[in-house]
Amino acid sequence: METFVQLDGDVRLWVCDEGRSDRSPLLLIMGANASALAWPPEFVEQLGRQHRVISYDHRDTGRSTWAFDEHPYAVADLAEDAVAVLDALGVARAHLVGMSLGGILVQLLLLDHPDRLLSATVLCSCALGVGAAATGDSSPRPDLPGPDPRLLALWEQMNEPRDRAAELEWRVEHWRILNGGVIDFDADDFRRLEERTIQHAGRYDNPAAHARADQRGLDRGAELARVSVPTLVIEAPEDPINPPPHAAYLAEVIGSARRVTIPGMGHALSSPVLEPVAAAILAHTADVDAAAPPGNWTRATRHR
């Protein structure tokens, strides 16, 4: 089922609701400047055998509203969007899976809305207050590695004007670097992904809105120690944005989190990693569901 969720003002989010409607909900939260179509269909299908799977396009991606220049927002607002999606679908609690920026948003939700989470899974991400989630202030931070210089150079071109063919080639090259250097890169596979993404959105430009969003409110890493929601951190050892030991550090600051490493994985959901990533998530959510009262996700609560 596809629908739209209306937020305050003139902003609406495109939402896809699929999988097992009789099973616990699982909300997928994608990374920066990426729509829900960045979750490969076969990956969503595998999760959908065990869950009701909900995904959505962030603001300024896909079929959701593109209006950052007229209505700017903060990264933290994107976390509240996830709550709005749950509210609109009548979901009281869900398993949350966040990749990259999505993992940062999941951490904010762990702190601000723990009652809405059955469990959390964070992959290819960093802890609040460090790396991509640093706020630029002078607070002391651990010495963790930054992104690959090749990515930094490519990101400088992110919002430069390009025609459709050049934009497609830029995106494929971006995925090539994100994929890391261990697992073979299938350029045709990622080109097809981006062609579907462009068709879904009805446009090929990239305003890089999330890169321009206000990062205030992300320096909250110290608060993660109080997280009690069952949390899984999936480590991608070849991740060129958040390389080791970012995942180990995140699991350590949460304290109660469990860490699983997917050998060879970079900052991309390439075909060889889909099965092990899905298996890790499903094992985590199955353990949580087995210990929870049946149907404890069905009573909707309204926060907005």
Side-chain angles (χ1 to χ4, degrees):
M1 179 191 76
E2 297 180 15
T3 188
F4 286 93
V5 170
Q6 188 70 40
L7 305 180
D8 295 337
D10 298 325
V11 176
R12 66 177 190 166
L13 305 178
W14 178 87
V15 178
C16 184
D17 187 355
E18 54 194 317
R20 294 280 301 274
S21 60
D22 61 328
R23 302 294 294 273
S24 57
L26 185 150
L27 179 66
L28 295 172
I29 307 179
M30 189 27 80
N33 305 306
S35 76
L37 268 66
W39 299 106
E42 57 269 42
F43 179 75
V44 175
E45 181 182 358
Q46 187 168 353
L47 297 179
R49 295 172 194 156
Q50 186 168 307
H51 292 286
R52 173 187 180 185
V53 180
I54 302 164
S55 57
Y56 67 100
D57 292 342
H58 291 296
R59 307 185 199 192
D60 294 283
T61 74
R63 295 182 183 172
S64 292
T65 300
W66 295 51
F68 181 83
D69 290 332
E70 294 79 24
H71 304 288
Y73 47 82
V75 169
D77 293 327
L78 298 176
E80 295 301 318
D81 289 353
V83 178
V85 170
L86 296 180
D87 284 346
L89 298 184
V91 175
R93 305 175 72 200
H95 300 284
L96 265 57
V97 177
M99 180 171 180
S100 193
L101 173 68
I104 293 170
L105 303 182
V106 167
Q107 292 172 64
L108 291 174
L109 293 166
L110 281 167
L111 298 179
D112 295 335
H113 300 282
D115 58 311
R116 306 304 298 271
L117 279 73
L118 294 168
S119 76
T121 298
V122 177
L123 60 149
C124 301
S125 195
C126 61
L128 291 173
V130 302
T135 57
D137 61 23
S138 58
S139 302
R141 295 185 177 88
D143 185 17
L144 294 169
D148 187 312
R150 294 176 300 163
L151 278 176
L152 296 177
L154 200 60
W155 289 345
E156 290 181 357
Q157 308 166 10
M158 185 177 293
N159 61 351
E160 291 181 359
R162 288 180 284 271
D163 62 22
R164 187 185 188 280
E167 175 64 21
L168 191 57
E169 290 307 311
W170 187 95
R171 294 186 189 188
V172 172
E173 179 60 22
H174 191 219
W175 281 119
R176 185 188 304 276
I177 300 173
L178 290 177
N179 192 64
V182 172
I183 293 176
D184 288 342
F185 178 70
D186 188 336
D188 290 338
D189 193 22
F190 281 95
R191 183 172 286 104
R192 286 189 293 268
L193 164 67
E194 289 300 339
E195 287 173 342
R196 291 194 304 271
T197 299
I198 290 170
Q199 182 178 18
H200 171 70
R203 57 192 293 175
Y204 63 83
D205 57 316
N206 181 0
H210 300 162
R212 296 185 285 146
D214 192 333
Q215 289 194 298
R216 283 179 296 184
L218 300 187
D219 196 12
R220 302 176 62 187
E223 299 176 47
L224 292 171
R226 62 178 170 84
V227 168
S228 59
V229 173
T231 301
L232 173 67
V233 176
I234 295 181
E235 180 174 49
E238 306 304 320
D239 186 341
I241 297 181
N242 302 300
H246 272 280
Y249 176 76
L250 174 57
E252 180 182 351
V253 295
I254 292 177
S256 60
R258 184 168 62 91
R259 176 165 55 101
V260 170
T261 300
I262 307 298
M265 184 176 180
H267 199 93
L269 291 171
S270 54
S271 295
V273 306
L274 297 184
E275 194 284 329
V277 171
I281 294 170
L282 292 174
H284 175 58
T285 59
D287 287 345
V288 173
D289 284 347
N296 68 332
W297 59 84
T298 57
R299 181 182 58 82
T301 57
R302 298 286 171 175
H303 289 266
R304 298 177 68 92

